Amino acid sequence: MPDMTESLLYLSSRDIETIGLGPAELVDAVERVFAAQAGGAARPGPKAVVPVAVGHSFHAMPGTIAADGLAGMKFFGVVPDNAERGLPNVCSLVALSDIANALPLCIMDGGWITGVRTAAMTATAAKHLAHPDSETAAFIGCGVQARAHARLLRQVLPGLRRAAVLGRGAARTDAFVCELQEAGWDVRLAPGPGDVLAGADVAVSTVPEHPGWTAFLDPSLLPPHAFAAGVDLGRSWLPSGYAEFAIVATDDSTQSRALVAEGRLKAPPDFAADLAALASGAYAERPRGRTFFVFSGHVLGDLAVAAALYRRALELGIGVRLPR
């Protein structure tokens, strides 16, 4: 192993794609870290947010994974009109340090991590809360998050084979539909929000915020057993329909209650479970009725994926060494 006191590792987006962590590895890494959080062996720090404009902000999220000997932080910006520039809505970096001596070990591009860690968190929740025989998924939004969710949800719900899709931009929607079809999904384009939810065992909303935004998804239109994931901070779902959900879960109950109070997370204020409780088995009740997983993003998901990438990069000798 190289002497990490003399250099640190940089992993580009191309390096990360070359490493090629698969769906099973991603879901296992995320579930393991949230189970560790339940036992106190992984800890998130306070999230810092600097707003710039509506939907435009910068964030810093620190945390530690004691079992891996790592501390880390994700820094990212959210710009809702980046698509018009040909850029992702979320741009990010992840840094890892040695937890014992604080030496920085690795800096890596966070784009791929942001997509897959979010989907892996949803997949972890779906593993415990969605109907195991789910066959039909509704995707509201057709960007990076929708694509990652389509891939990772099948890891825990292998029966998923039909997709209803609702998107805004024709080019992005068509590209997503083609990708789903190439992966073996039977796809239909939904004409509106009511139609996209009809018959969906699983529904995933990933719509970016924009000026003039209003909620438009009615939970009562979902089948009684459905699992819904509000990846977009829950903003797409009508508050008048919250009572339709028998169980509301989140990534971190303490963090999410504060965000609900601030108005940044759109969800009921009381959560039946969070990912630490689900992953550790502390919450093992199988739901009877609709379930809602709504979350703002959790650094332990990012660090779980980043740690797995870092270990694999060292094994394969991938990345660029930067002098200190």
Side-chain angles (χ1 to χ4, degrees):
M1 181 176 295
D3 183 357
M4 300 304 296
T5 64
E6 298 297 328
S7 65
L8 62 111
L9 186 65
Y10 172 68
L11 297 177
S12 68
S13 58
R14 181 172 295 181
D15 293 330
I16 290 169
E17 290 177 8
T18 299
I19 291 169
L21 294 180
E25 294 172 294
L26 292 166
V27 175
D28 289 347
V30 166
E31 187 165 23
R32 180 180 65 84
V33 165
F34 279 100
Q37 183 192 13
R43 298 178 59 186
K47 178 190 286 189
V49 182
V50 180
V52 176
V54 175
H56 184 168
S57 55
F58 289 88
H59 306 246
M61 303 193 306
T64 60
I65 306 176
D68 292 341
L70 295 171
M73 183 166 67
K74 178 181 180 180
F75 176 73
F76 66 101
V78 182
V79 183
D81 57 357
N82 256 5
E84 299 170 8
R85 304 180 176 97
L87 297 171
N89 292 327
V90 179
C91 300
S92 59
L93 289 173
V94 178
L96 298 176
S97 294
D98 188 307
I99 200 171
N101 59 29
L103 275 177
L105 299 173
C106 185
I107 300 170
M108 62 185 77
D109 182 83
W112 187 85
I113 295 172
T114 298
V116 299
R117 73 82 151 121
T118 306
M121 291 165 65
T122 299
T124 298
K127 177 180 176 180
H128 298 276
L129 297 176
H131 194 288
D133 296 325
S134 295
E135 295 183 349
T136 301
F139 296 99
I140 303 95
C142 300
V144 171
Q145 285 297 340
R147 297 197 300 271
H149 276 75
R151 189 163 65 100
L152 268 68
L153 279 170
R154 273 184 157 177
Q155 175 62 33
V156 297
L157 300 171
L160 287 175
R161 57 190 179 87
R162 294 187 295 268
V165 173
L166 180 65
R168 288 194 301 161
R172 179 173 290 192
T173 300
D174 290 346
F176 181 47
V177 167
C178 288
E179 187 170 319
L180 289 172
Q181 290 172 333
E182 289 172 0
W185 291 78
D186 179 9
V187 186
R188 69 177 179 87
L189 285 174
D195 182 78
V196 77
L197 298 179
D201 302 306
V202 174
V204 182
S205 62
T206 60
V207 185
E209 186 177 14
H210 58 271
W213 176 266
T214 57
F216 63 100
L217 295 176
D218 183 351
S220 70
L221 300 178
L222 289 166
H225 62 275
F227 167 87
V231 181
D232 47 11
L233 299 174
R235 68 173 72 92
S236 295
W237 298 86
L238 292 166
S240 59
Y242 288 161
E244 299 293 335
F245 293 113
I247 292 173
V248 180
T250 190
D251 51 0
D252 185 292
S253 294
T254 301
Q255 171 182 276
S256 293
R257 279 194 295 267
L259 293 173
V260 170
E262 295 170 10
R264 290 162 51 198
L265 185 67
K266 307 301 182 184
D270 298 318
F271 298 98
D274 59 17
L275 284 182
L278 293 171
S280 66
Y283 185 91
E285 180 182 340
R286 294 302 302 184
R288 296 181 180 179
R290 301 179 184 92
T291 58
F292 190 35
F293 180 61
V294 58
F295 59 114
S296 66
H298 199 292
V299 70
L300 292 184
D302 297 285
L303 297 186
V305 176
L309 287 167
Y310 175 61
R311 288 192 298 269
R312 186 65 56 81
L314 292 180
E315 293 171 4
L316 300 176
I318 291 174
V320 176
R321 289 279 162 199
L322 302 176
R324 293 189 186 280

